[in-house]
DNA sequence: CCCAGTAGCTTGACATGTCAACGATTAATG
DNA sequence: CATTAATCGTTGACATGTCAAGCTACTGGG
């Protein structure tokens, strides 16, 4: 990947803490944002180089491939994507012929979604590659550290909703 | 804030690991993405409710207020924003009268940026609010945990560039 | 049955983020 | 000094993400 290495210890802040450059804690949301952006860029690049789809579309395809979901509502519930975004992602995937939608259910508002053969082929081609990426990403953490990291993230997730300002 | 609580332990994956819902580690990038989105939404909402500017613009204003930067290059270097994005953010901030730009330097490509009085007023009004938010966010971590969390993020940051796929 | 409320989805509007091509200027090097 | 290369910035194109208004279909209480 790219990325100029710069600033890992030398930037000012994350947009949330104005001064106070001395305390690493001040950089938390900034650094989260950056590492998140880098991981996304790496995943998107990987998908592009292997002739795949954009990252957001890929995530929808995976959910459908796993058989976990068959409607937009379920995609929204599982992945916590915005419903508007899902609506447009589904449109795009249908246009590209990677998924199909049937409206025959009881509830006429709902379209039942499924992968086409093309969509299935793409997912099955990319899955091993994405699994290998995941393996390499996690290789820098011990099992205990992985657990600890996830627990930290959960805690952040919890506190984000409780801020009383 | 909003957010339907759902799925914190029950979703399939993060778009990077197709199956394997049993291992929390499989959810890492997904959960990072979600917690990051939630923190961003919370910060943006806070800025909006207090009559401020959008989050990205806010971050640029803060960098300028701190006196750390005076050109787009320095913003890109410090904050690791995309230079195209910075170019447009600066345009917007100038249109809104929050910053000003002078082209008088040696390097005729560079504009020297600074906050206007309006820009300074907005930043100084919002800073205490954002500092309180940061304090509350970090209140769920002990000092030792904060250090540990930052170290984890650094490790992720490092490995993201080294993936050989 | 009626109809007010809710649910699933669509759409518009905007903000954010990323990449790549390009223009202008400056720096480096023969 | 003259090219060439690198740097700073702009712009176009597109992907992503978020919010809110509105549409249609379903649902439940009267």
């Amino acid at each position: 990947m790219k990325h100029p290495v710069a600033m890992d210890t030398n930037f000012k802040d994350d947009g949330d803490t104005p001064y106070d450059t001395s305390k690493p804690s001040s950089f938390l949301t900034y650094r989260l944002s950056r590492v998140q952006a880098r991981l996304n860029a790496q995943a998107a690049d990987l998908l592009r180089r292997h002739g795949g789809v954009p990252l957001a579309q890929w995530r929808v395809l995976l959910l459908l491939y796993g058989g976990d979901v068959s409607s937009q509502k379920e995609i929204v519930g599982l992945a916590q994507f915005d419903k508007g975004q899902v609506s447009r992602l589904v449109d795009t995937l249908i246009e590209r012929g990677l998924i199909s939608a049937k409206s025959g259910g009881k509830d006429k508002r709902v379209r039942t979604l499924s992968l086409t053969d093309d969509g299935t082929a793409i997912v099955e081609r990319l899955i091993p590659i994405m699994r290998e990426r995941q393996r390499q990403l996690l290789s820098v953490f011990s099992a205990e550290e992985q657990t600890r990291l996830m627990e930290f993230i959960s805690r952040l997730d919890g506190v984000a909703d409780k801020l009383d300002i």
Side-chain angles (χ1 to χ4, degrees), chain A residues 154-165:
Chain A
S154 291
R155 233 190 282 178
L156 261 185
D157 211 53
V159 77
D161 273 356
K162 301 195 187 70
L163 302 187
D164 62 351
I165 50 178

Side-chain angles (χ1 to χ4, degrees), chain A residues 115-159:
Chain A
L115 291 179
T116 62
D117 289 348
D118 276 3
T120 303
I122 286 184
V123 172
E124 292 183 343
R125 182 160 51 81
L126 290 173
I127 278 181
I129 295 164
M130 297 309 274
R131 286 180 72 82
E132 169 62 12
R133 168 181 179 264
Q134 179 80 1
R135 192 194 63 72
Q136 291 189 26
L137 270 186
L138 293 174
S139 67
V140 295
F141 296 101
S142 71
E144 183 273 338
E145 286 172 336
Q146 291 178 18
T147 304
R148 193 90 190 276
L149 176 55
M150 294 303 291
E151 194 269 314
F152 284 169
I153 293 174
S154 291
R155 233 190 282 178
L156 261 185
D157 211 53
V159 77

Side-chain angles (χ1 to χ4, degrees), chain A residues 34-161:
Chain A
R34 284 294 92 198
V35 80
Q36 167 61 25
R38 190 161 296 155
L39 289 171
N40 272 351
Q42 205 278 330
D45 182 59
L46 193 53
L47 289 169
R48 186 161 18 83
R49 280 190 288 109
H50 288 82
V53 293
L55 183 55
Q57 291 176 34
W58 165 250
R59 287 175 168 165
V60 171
L61 290 179
L62 255 192
L63 287 173
L64 289 169
Y65 182 77
D68 307 291
V69 301
S70 60
S71 71
Q72 295 183 196
K73 171 196 175 180
E74 292 172 324
I75 293 172
V76 168
L78 267 181
Q80 294 178 234
F81 289 168
D82 178 81
K83 62 182 180 177
Q85 188 184 8
V86 169
S87 177
R88 282 181 266 243
L89 284 172
V90 165
D91 285 349
T92 303
L93 287 168
I94 290 174
E95 282 168 20
R96 295 194 180 187
L98 301 182
I99 71 177
S100 62
K102 288 182 298 185
S103 303
K106 292 178 184 176
D107 191 331
K108 291 170 186 169
R109 293 169 302 185
V110 178
R111 292 186 299 178
T112 300
L113 307 174
S114 57
L115 291 179
T116 62
D117 289 348
D118 276 3
T120 303
I122 286 184
V123 172
E124 292 183 343
R125 182 160 51 81
L126 290 173
I127 278 181
I129 295 164
M130 297 309 274
R131 286 180 72 82
E132 169 62 12
R133 168 181 179 264
Q134 179 80 1
R135 192 194 63 72
Q136 291 189 26
L137 270 186
L138 293 174
S139 67
V140 295
F141 296 101
S142 71
E144 183 273 338
E145 286 172 336
Q146 291 178 18
T147 304
R148 193 90 190 276
L149 176 55
M150 294 303 291
E151 194 269 314
F152 284 169
I153 293 174
S154 291
R155 233 190 282 178
L156 261 185
D157 211 53
V159 77
D161 273 356

Side-chain angles (χ1 to χ4, degrees), chain A residues 12-13 17-24 26-27:
Chain A
K12 181 74 171 214
D13 71 30
T17 42
Y19 331 104
D20 220 346
T21 68
S22 54
K23 294 189 301 180
S26 298
F27 311 142

Side-chain angles (χ1 to χ4, degrees), chain A residues 2-12 30-31 34 38:
Chain A
K2 48 160 188 188
H3 125 68
V5 173
M7 301 305 127
D8 214 6
T9 60
N10 190 31
F11 49 68
K12 181 74 171 214
Y30 172 88
R31 298 199 56 176
R34 284 294 92 198
R38 190 161 296 155

